[in-house]
Amino acid sequence: MTDGTRSEVLLRVNDVTHRLSVDNRTTLLDALRERIGLTGPKKGCDHGQCGACTVLLDGRRVVSCLTLGVAAEGAEVTTIEGLAGDGELRPIQQAFVRLDGFQCGYCTPGQLCSAVGVLAEHAAGWPSAATADVSPDGPPPELDAAEVRERMSGNLCRCGAYPSIVRAVLETAAREEVAG
């Protein structure tokens, strides 16, 4: 139902469908936090600059503070609450814990969602601004520290846990490559 200013949307979040009536200007972040009650995505800068609100939209990372809730209808939204499965942390979450990839933890949900997106992008062979050879016939990008820093550059950490975050992403990528 739409009256010009409000829309009824179905949001599929972490494998659960939610029917919401929202103002068309409602951001995905506000719909998740205020309407659905998922407070994992954090409201940081509210300008898409800090990445604290990063979620996965059909597997691709987006800053939910700049994404309208109505635009997410029909997509699969994954928040930090949906990353772990069957009560077990994902390998990237385990690596963050083991390698101290967080300090205050405020940015951690966005960092983890972004890291999942980074690993998927790298596995698919997508280049970044740091990729040396982006030619169509070039080799798949090597995921080194420079690639991880570039790919994670949209997520800021006020505590400066960047070295541990980079190690966690690299370790997880190496484990996933070994596991095939």
Side-chain angles (χ1 to χ4, degrees):
M1 179 171 75
T2 300
D3 72 1
T5 61
R6 299 190 65 80
S7 294
E8 189 167 306
V9 296
L10 295 175
L11 292 181
R12 181 119 176 107
V13 182
N14 302 331
D15 296 325
V16 177
T17 301
H18 302 269
R19 178 182 300 273
L20 303 175
S21 175
V22 296
D23 183 300
N24 293 335
R25 300 167 294 179
T26 302
T27 65
L28 178 59
L29 176 62
D30 287 341
L32 293 170
R33 290 182 59 84
E34 297 171 12
R35 301 296 304 279
I36 298 176
L38 296 172
T39 57
K42 302 297 186 229
K43 186 172 272 196
C45 66
D46 216 15
H47 290 85
Q49 298 173 339
C50 73
C53 65
T54 302
V55 299
L56 299 170
L57 194 62
D58 286 336
R60 297 188 64 183
R61 52 201 168 123
V62 298
V63 283
S64 60
C65 72
L66 295 184
T67 304
L68 293 175
V70 294
E73 184 171 53
E76 183 65 41
V77 180
T78 305
T79 68
I80 187 68
E81 291 92 342
L83 283 186
D86 297 327
E88 181 145 342
L89 296 178
R90 278 186 178 212
I92 187 67
Q93 292 172 301
Q94 294 172 10
F96 263 62
V97 171
R98 187 176 48 261
L99 299 171
D100 199 22
F102 58 93
Q103 289 182 14
C104 80
Y106 191 82
C107 70
T108 305
Q111 297 274 5
L112 283 166
C113 285
S114 191
V116 169
V118 164
L119 292 168
E121 291 164 11
H122 177 259
W126 294 7
S128 79
T131 302
D133 183 355
V134 296
S135 65
D137 300 328
E142 180 181 336
L143 194 60
D144 57 16
E147 278 279 346
V148 172
R149 284 193 297 271
E150 170 57 27
R151 291 172 190 259
M152 295 289 293
S153 64
N155 292 79
L156 303 179
C157 172
R158 293 173 181 89
C159 302
Y162 298 117
S164 298
I165 292 169
V166 170
R167 279 195 301 273
V169 173
L170 289 171
E171 178 189 289
T172 303
R175 288 177 182 229
E176 289 180 355
E177 286 177 10
V178 169

